[in-house]
Amino acid sequence: MSPNPPAGRRRRAAPLAAGIVVALAVSGLTGGNAQADAVEQIVNGTFDDGHVPWWSTANLTLDSSDGRLCADVPGGTINPWDAIIGQDDIALQAGATYEFRFFGSATPGKVGKALIQLPVAPYTQYLAANPALNVSGDSYRYTFTSPVDLPNAQVAFQIGGSTQPWRICLDDISLTGDAEPDVYEPDTGPRVRVNQVGYLPRGPKNATVVTEVAEALPWQLRNDAGTVVASGTTQPRGLDESSGQRVHSIDFGDHQKRGTGYTLTTDGDTSRPFDIGTGFYEQLRLDALRFYYTQRSGVEIREDLRPGYGRPAGHIGVAPNQGDVSVPCQPGVCEYSLDVSGGWYDAGDHGKYVVNGGISVHQLMSEYERSLLARTGELWKLRDGTLDLPESGNWVPDILDEARWEQEFLLKMQVPAGQPYAGMVHHKIHDDSWTGLPLLPHLDPKRRELHPVSTAATLNLAATAAQAARVYLPYDWRFALENLRAAKTAWAAATSNPAMYADPNDGNGGGAYADDNVTDEFYWAAAELFITTGAGEYRDFLLASPLHTTDVWRDRGFDWGNTAQLGRLQLATLPNRLPDRERIRQSVVTGADTYLATMEAHPYGIPYAPTDNTYDWGSNNLILNNAIVMAVAFDITGTDRYRDGVLETMDYIFGRNALNQSYVTGYGEVASENQHSRWYAHQLNTDLPNPPRGTLSGGPNSSIQDPVAQQKLQGCAPQFCYLDDIESWSTNELTINWNAPLAWLAAFVADQDNGDARGRLR
Ligand code: 9MR
């Protein structure tokens, strides 16, 4: 039987290609369907008489002998663009909306890439679609609005990157103007929004319902047998600015009985199911940390430890990799090469960045430190053997084994003695140009380069190495000492070079991570060095720093570029002899009060409401970091309302939000699962896995920098600026620094037992 049925037998009704740019596949597609006044931009899209002017890469032979364009695609290529079928010189008009249609099939089935883009670097994509092609064939339709006037855009079907050979056939390719833009409507399900994972028995229980009704409404809570077990009335909250919705809130905190399959009903709608219990946070405590092992660079990921996620070691100097055991600098930056193998890949890319690795490893070590210091802390839950690591069984708590993998990499990024800028730390190491998706780490063929040193990176090493010096002392005094030396050297080097800033334009092949204010990194590093050494130099620096007394609790939260808060939190919780220790503690409590007030005023209970009503890149990370401030305030004061603030923040992350979805893979009935990643790229290649359970998505980002989000989300209210699409790198990436507060908080919440554990520091 022919794998390519003749045109008359092709299946015309096509499924909705979910998660793909405006991918409304249509039935009954013919070239003649285009609007009368819409001009066809494609030359010879029907292949009735050959295939001129279509071109291909040299590894394809185009065949249009049966009225379609077919090609056998060889296996063994790496990048999507290693095999292309294209047409050039397509005119685009700025502001015009276009409809792009084609019929396509693949044998065996394959996800292809259909692009309309700039024909030269930087190959800006105006339409980027990932049609899931199947054997019988389907019609695909997409719309996009061109942001540019361009006489020579390119239509490109990028079909490389498959290990196995396959065959593609295309027909009826059409691009016409005067199209109606598709309006993207996210499927937000029932209007009653709950924490789809669950609530602690004695913790707060809040929900939100989207409704135009002005008056309070009755609500009912049902158990899994459908019996009403509690009821009450909603509280009308008016317009919620972060979503543009009118909402009421529901408080059902009095119901404390454990159970699964609860639902909440009001205004004629019923929530997704949820639990009341504790087990899910115990699971998340582990999953959020297990995330790091599969982000490891420089080592094979063992299939027996992570079924479905095993892969060869990436970047250990084995071709096609060009790193990381001996990595030169960018041209003109330095004369040496360094072994910077190991560490964690930052995110969905293969880059490794010190300022982001720094806050990540710090938050893991601080999760460990909290487990020792807080009265509710349960260190044994993160003991040796809990995370299924290659190091499990070495008598060291697994959380420290994982953190060490990154800390050792940070140490390698320090300039060796005898070289210019000795003691300073290279800002980052990554490919010399961007790679496409999917791409497993060991297949990355790009040249790896060290980028210039920066004061921020140097202070990140000073801070984390000072922290590592005390954290690892009971387990490996040599490693502790090595860190202490590196921290002191880094501090001295940063003090001598206090204003070496990373270049904001150094973003080809990796993120820039630029930051031209490093007073906060100085403050954080001084805090860690002081806590570890007690030395007067660091104490004097802290006391003289304006950041010691100013209000550091920004409404947007803290992150890799705003680290004074880390210093404050550490000084407030870890034993030290600063004279104004009580005042520092009080400042954390004051910060927590601010976030609590924001949360109480928020109809969705979110401790994040930037005054300009925009959400930042990685908003989920900022929200979780604000919750950490409340958690530390709970540890300091033992006052329940701070813990309740943390628990209510988790409700937002797990589904009490405008999109009615959880942002953690594997948690909640509807959850993010297509985070931007080159190796968890299941959405692009079904042979690859989705991100592991317990992976946080960055979440809504008002600036929607990626083309997929730009096509669908123009004008989005902050909470709606999100797509669970692998190509939406500005709203849906996964990163080591975003999972760190998730892990920290998962442990904090799991430590609260039923939600009523007695707080305070030991
Ligand atoms: O998380 C970073 C965010 O704060 C910045 O605004 C953004 C733009 O510079 O970059 C983010 O970091 C990305 C990095 O540049 C490259 N690796 C993936 C990171 C997460 O998207």
Side-chain angles (χ1 to χ4, degrees), residues 597-655:
T598 301
M599 160 171 256
E600 278 162 6
H602 200 301
Y604 273 101
I606 313 171
Y608 177 78
T611 44
D612 61 0
N613 196 33
T614 62
Y615 275 25
D616 298 277
W617 194 319
S619 60
N620 283 339
N621 164 70
L622 298 161
I623 290 168
L624 290 177
N625 280 337
N626 287 349
I628 286 183
V629 181
M630 293 190 272
V632 172
F634 173 75
D635 285 339
I636 291 171
T637 63
T639 306
D640 287 348
R641 64 173 186 277
Y642 299 118
R643 168 173 56 208
D644 289 353
V646 178
L647 294 170
E648 206 175 328
T649 307
M650 300 313 291
D651 298 343
Y652 168 77
I653 296 292
F654 285 147

Side-chain angles (χ1 to χ4, degrees), residues 346-351 353 356 434 504 509-514 559-561 616-618 621-622 676 698 701 705 729-738:
D346 185 57
D349 59 326
H350 301 139
Y353 313 87
N356 210 42
W434 284 106
Y513 282 112
D559 62 5
W560 62 267
D616 298 277
W617 194 319
N621 164 70
L622 298 161
H676 180 80
N701 169 9
Q705 287 91 338
W729 41 263
S730 72
T731 78
N732 195 35
E733 193 153 356
L734 54 87
T735 73
I736 54 173
N737 59 314
W738 299 341

Side-chain angles (χ1 to χ4, degrees), residues 255-376:
H255 187 78
Q256 302 189 343
K257 195 165 186 298
R258 287 168 174 266
T260 58
Y262 280 104
T263 53
L264 195 59
T265 300
T266 187
D267 197 25
D269 219 344
T270 296
S271 75
R272 291 186 170 138
F274 58 90
D275 295 355
I276 296 179
T278 52
F280 35 86
Y281 282 115
E282 286 298 350
Q283 186 63 50
L284 184 65
R285 179 196 319 249
L286 302 176
D287 287 343
L289 285 174
R290 284 184 178 141
F291 161 89
Y292 288 91
Y293 173 49
T294 47
Q295 286 293 119
R296 284 191 192 185
S297 177
V299 70
E300 175 203 0
I301 304 306
R302 279 169 47 186
E303 180 71 18
D304 62 321
L305 297 176
R306 290 296 181 281
Y309 291 89
R311 59 169 172 83
H315 300 100
I316 49 164
V318 174
N321 283 171
Q322 298 192 53
D324 289 353
V325 290
S326 177
V327 179
C329 278
Q330 284 176 303
V333 169
C334 75
E335 297 300 320
Y336 49 85
S337 293
L338 293 182
D339 174 358
V340 290
S341 56
W344 301 315
Y345 296 116
D346 185 57
D349 59 326
H350 301 139
K352 302 191 289 193
Y353 313 87
V354 170
V355 292
N356 210 42
I359 188 169
S360 309
V361 75
H362 161 76
Q363 287 192 305
L364 259 57
M365 289 191 285
S366 101
E367 177 180 341
Y368 166 80
E369 291 190 302
R370 183 192 170 273
S371 75
L372 301 173
L373 292 166
R375 202 192 266 174
T376 60

